[in-house]
Structure formats: C-alpha cells, structure tokens
Amino acid sequence: MSGNRHAVHSTDSALLKEYLDFLRNHRGLAKATIGIRAGFVAPFLEALNLRKTQEGVGGIVACHVHDYVIKTAKPMARPSRKHLVSSLRSFLRFCHVRGYTDRNLVDAVPVIRTHKLDRVPRAISWESVQKLLATPDRTTHEGRREYAILRLLATYGVRIGQVTTLKLQDIDWHERLIRFSASKKGQDLCLPLTHDVAEALLAYIGETRGKAPFPEVFLTVRGTPRPLGENNHLHGPIARYYRQAGIDSATKGSHAIRHAFATRLMEQEVPLKTIADLLGHKSITSTAIYTKVDLE
C-alpha cells in the first residue's frame, strides 16, 4: 500500500480488537482489507493519546478528527489518503453504532480531494522490462520461479496478486489458454498462452515446483514448499532485480511493469477499450490515465 507508514500496528487495544472482529464477523471483509483498516485506525488512537477502550474513545471530538486527518494526509500518496479517510469513517461509524460516542463523528472526517488523472503512471521503459526479464538466474529454483512470474507480468500486464494466486487449473495446456481471476472488482481474463510464457512455466513447474500437493502454481522455494502468503507480493526479490539490472526508477515493484505494458500498447495505438479489457478494468475511465503518456 503506497504511502502507508503505519503498516506495523498493535492490536493489543480491546477496542481495536473488537472493531476488527466486527469487520471480520459482521461485515465479512477480506483479511487484507481488515489489515488496512487496522493500519490506519491504530495510529489514530495512538495520536489522540486517549485510553484505547470503549470508555476512553468517548473523549473524541470533531476537531480532533479533522486536525488529525489534515495533518496525516498531507505527505501521503493518493491511495493512502483514500484508505485513511475510509478507515476512520468506518471506525467512527462503528463507535457510534455501539454507543461508545455520543455523536456520529463520521462527518468530522474531512473530504480529501484526490484527482485520478493528476499524475503520470509510474512506468519503466519497455527496454527496462526486457532487462528485468534477463536478470533472474534460471539455473536456480528461485530464479526459475521469479523469471516465470516476471514473464507473466510483462506478457499480460496483470497485477502481481493475480499471478501469485494463479492455480494449476487456470492453465489450459490443450487449448493454450491461461486464466487470471478478477482483481479490484474488475473482470476475469482468459488470454492466449504464449510460447515464452508456456516455456517459463514448464521450466519452473518441471524443475522446481514438482508435484507439490497444492492448487497454486507458485510456491515457496525454501524449506517445505507451500503457497505464497496472501500479502507476499515478492517486493524484495523484484526490487533486487531492478538494482541488478541497473534500472533507476522511483518505484521498484511489479506495478511499474503493468504500467509499462499499458504504455507500450498506447504507443502502438491500440484502442483504449482494448487496453481496458486487457488490464481487466471494469470501467474505461480507469484506463484513461495512460492517455497522458501519449505525447503525440
């Protein structure tokens, strides 16, 4: 999550634990979303220096909330600002419904204006993508796995979570198709299995993964093989390949590859609707940011 400086948080507060249990058991939110909520609510409670109990939270007043959001949001990136205000509104609504605050303080959370097209996509050049693909040592287990992952990212422009959760049943070798589950309420993708991707997957599966009894394609390579953790997006290994390839980029992650994929299609004059479909965007509005890289 870009810009969230509070990724590490404590849930030793009885109030915070009750809130997170509410999100899990009554709202049915995903584990990752609950983690995001906790990552923004915990520092909020710390900053107000209140007793983090059902009684103590009654001391929150509107100006506390407003001032905290204005100060905290200032250095944050757009996605983190959105998570900050939505998390605090969710928490304050919970406190009011449970009777821990006399007033509903949701409206005290100020609107932080964010503009979807206020920045240029953080892409790397297509030449840099090719350098990344050439970096993993494909004679090692780790290198074979990460080359296959990078090849999928570069070939299809999918998100890293769609790759790390890919299942063996999603690869149709006979029909030469590969399926990626929807991400961020987008659309499922069914795409041609290219020769380069098939070759990378076969090398990894045949020489590294083997017949481990899991549905996931990509597993850990150290110790007993097991599926990658839900939030394991391989930031460390991918950033290391950026450094080894000599790629000077403000962001050293998988999303820059996705942006490079979309930017390349834009430069090739592929219609915006086609790009939106390939990226799995539900709305073409989400794809419109790539028009900003078309200098012509």
Side-chain angles (χ1 to χ4, degrees):
M1 179 172 51
S2 172
N4 181 8
R5 298 167 297 158
H6 306 299
V8 177
H9 55 268
S10 171
T11 56
D12 58 359
S13 158
L15 176 63
L16 181 57
K17 184 178 185 302
E18 182 185 351
Y19 168 62
L20 300 182
D21 287 343
F22 170 78
L23 296 181
R24 183 180 304 107
N25 300 326
H26 296 280
R27 292 292 311 282
L29 297 189
K31 183 179 178 181
T33 303
I34 294 173
I36 290 171
R37 294 281 189 262
F40 285 98
V41 172
F44 169 69
L45 293 173
E46 292 287 346
L48 295 188
N49 199 27
L50 295 166
R51 286 184 298 118
K52 294 181 284 297
T53 63
Q54 290 84 343
E55 297 78 17
V57 78
I60 297 177
V61 296
C63 64
H64 291 159
V65 177
H66 179 276
D67 293 349
Y68 175 82
V69 172
I70 294 298
K71 178 181 178 181
T72 306
K74 191 173 182 179
M76 285 182 169
R78 183 176 67 90
S80 291
R81 289 182 177 187
K82 291 174 65 177
H83 286 311
L84 170 67
V85 297
S86 63
S87 295
L88 293 188
R89 285 175 184 144
S90 167
F91 174 70
L92 292 170
R93 187 178 297 110
F94 161 80
C95 288
H96 182 61
V97 168
R98 288 294 172 94
Y100 302 148
T101 56
D102 293 333
R103 295 174 52 201
N104 187 348
L105 294 170
V106 170
D107 289 340
V109 179
V111 174
I112 304 295
R113 296 196 179 279
T114 60
H115 304 282
K116 284 189 175 182
L117 302 182
D118 65 349
R119 55 197 169 87
V120 173
R122 295 174 293 180
I124 56 177
S125 69
W126 195 246
E127 179 185 2
S128 294
V129 173
Q130 302 311 304
K131 288 181 179 178
L132 274 180
L133 289 170
T135 304
D137 180 357
R138 291 152 67 184
T139 66
T140 67
H141 292 312
E142 188 174 35
R144 278 189 288 269
R145 182 192 68 180
E146 285 153 15
Y147 171 74
I149 289 172
L150 289 172
R151 176 56 73 182
L152 286 164
L153 293 172
T155 302
Y156 301 112
V158 289
R159 293 183 173 90
I160 184 68
Q162 292 173 284
V163 173
T164 56
T165 57
L166 186 71
K167 306 292 193 300
L168 292 170
Q169 67 188 36
D170 294 328
I171 307 170
D172 189 332
W173 299 101
H174 179 70
E175 297 293 335
R176 298 190 69 80
L177 295 171
I178 187 167
R179 298 177 182 83
F180 296 98
S181 59
S183 177
K184 292 191 174 182
K185 299 181 180 179
Q187 303 171 0
D188 288 347
L189 296 171
C190 184
L191 301 166
L193 182 65
T194 69
H195 174 77
D196 288 342
V197 168
E199 193 174 62
L201 286 171
L202 286 172
Y204 161 69
I205 293 172
E207 300 177 48
T208 294
R209 185 194 184 283
K211 297 181 179 179
F214 300 102
E216 291 83 4
V217 173
F218 294 106
L219 308 175
T220 58
V221 292
R222 296 178 184 176
T224 303
R226 63 188 185 281
L228 298 174
E230 183 179 354
N231 296 315
N232 183 356
H233 291 168
L234 300 173
H235 294 301
I238 292 176
R240 185 175 70 248
Y241 291 137
Y242 271 79
R243 292 191 295 270
Q244 290 177 4
I247 299 170
D248 184 15
S249 172
T251 58
K252 295 180 173 61
S254 61
H255 218 63
I257 303 173
R258 177 173 167 86
H259 287 320
F261 170 85
T263 299
R264 182 166 176 257
L265 294 180
M266 183 68 67
E267 291 170 348
Q268 293 174 341
E269 299 185 357
V270 174
L272 197 61
K273 177 62 169 67
T274 302
I275 298 175
D277 290 341
L278 289 171
L279 293 176
H281 285 166
K282 192 173 183 179
S283 168
I284 198 170
T285 305
S286 302
T287 319
I289 191 171
Y290 294 105
T291 61
K292 296 183 72 173
V293 301
D294 188 351
L295 300 183
E296 290 288 332

